[in-house]
Amino acid sequence: MEKMLKQFNFIVEIDKLKTIERRTKIIHGSRLENDAEHSWHLAMMAMILQHHANKTNDLLKVIKMLLIHDLVEIDAGDTFAYDTDGQVDKFDRETEAAKRLFGMLPAEQEEEFTQLWLEFENKETEEAKFASSLDRLQPLIHNSLNEGDTWQKYGITSEQVINRNKEINYGSEKLWEYAQTIIKSSVEQGILTK
C-alpha cells in the first residue's frame, strides 16, 4: 500500500505539468502550449515518425523519455530555447527538480525515471537522439504555422533557428531535411528573418 500511495502522490504532483506554459502557441489557437500538451504531442510524433529515425530504436523507451523529459520543469520552469542566460544553470536547476520529483516514487521507479531523464539529456543513445530530434522539430513546426509568432516576438533569426535545430540530424537526417525546408519557407514568407 505504501508503494501505491507514493505512486499516486507522484501522479497528482505531475498534473502540475499542465500549468507550465511554453513560449510557443498551439497550432490551432492563440494560446500558449503547456508542457503536458507538448509531451503528448511528442509521444504521438514518435509513434508516427519512428521509421524516419537514423537507426532502429526502442519506441517504448523513446516515448517514455518524451513523457518524462519535461517533468522537471514543474520545479525548474520552462527555459526558453534561445535564452542564453537561462541555459547557464538549466541543468543544475533541472537536476534538483528531478531529485525531488522522481524521489517521490518507489525506489525502482525513481531509478528508472532518473536514468531515462539523464539519457535524454545526454543524447548519446539512438533513443535519446531521436527523442531530442522530435523535441526540437515540434516547436519549429508550431512557429512556422503560427506565422513565426515566437520568433518575431523575441527577434529570433534563421541563423539562431538553424544552430538550435541542426541537432535534429543526429536522430533523423530525414527530419532535419524537412526542418530545413520549413526554415527556408519561413524565411521566404517573411515570418523568420535572416
Side-chain angles (χ1 to χ4, degrees), residues 69-85:
H69 83 285
D70 276 343
L71 290 177
V72 294
E73 294 183 5
I74 291 169
D75 288 357
D78 176 52
T79 304
F80 184 43
Y82 301 98
D83 176 4
T84 52
D85 292 338

Side-chain angles (χ1 to χ4, degrees), residues 23 80 82 143 148-161 191-194:
R23 303 285 174 101
F80 184 43
Y82 301 98
N143 273 296
D149 180 76
T150 305
W151 295 331
Q152 292 181 9
K153 184 174 183 179
Y154 297 98
I156 306 302
T157 66
S158 61
E159 182 180 357
Q160 289 174 287
V161 173
I191 63 173
L192 180 60
T193 61
K194 288 189 176 187

Side-chain angles (χ1 to χ4, degrees), residues 5-33:
L5 286 175
K6 284 184 171 188
Q7 291 168 325
F8 277 112
N9 286 336
F10 179 78
I11 289 166
V12 169
E13 184 69 9
I14 65 170
D15 190 67
K16 291 178 181 175
L17 197 65
K18 297 172 186 175
T19 68
I20 308 299
E21 286 188 339
R22 296 172 48 80
R23 303 285 174 101
T24 307
K25 288 184 178 177
I26 60 172
I27 294 171
H28 303 289
S30 59
R31 70 173 174 81
L32 295 175
E33 175 185 48

Side-chain angles (χ1 to χ4, degrees), residues 15-92:
D15 190 67
K16 291 178 181 175
L17 197 65
K18 297 172 186 175
T19 68
I20 308 299
E21 286 188 339
R22 296 172 48 80
R23 303 285 174 101
T24 307
K25 288 184 178 177
I26 60 172
I27 294 171
H28 303 289
S30 59
R31 70 173 174 81
L32 295 175
E33 175 185 48
N34 68 50
D35 269 355
E37 293 166 327
H38 172 67
S39 297
W40 163 82
H41 208 196
L42 293 175
M44 291 300 299
M45 287 173 69
M47 290 172 45
I48 294 164
L49 300 171
Q50 66 179 329
H51 61 284
H52 296 298
N54 287 340
K55 296 186 179 173
T56 303
N57 56 60
D58 179 345
L59 178 62
L60 178 58
K61 191 174 188 183
V62 171
I63 291 172
K64 285 180 178 183
M65 280 186 210
L66 292 171
L67 292 174
I68 289 170
H69 83 285
D70 276 343
L71 290 177
V72 294
E73 294 183 5
I74 291 169
D75 288 357
D78 176 52
T79 304
F80 184 43
Y82 301 98
D83 176 4
T84 52
D85 292 338
Q87 297 294 331
V88 172
D89 67 343
K90 177 182 181 221
F91 185 75
D92 293 336

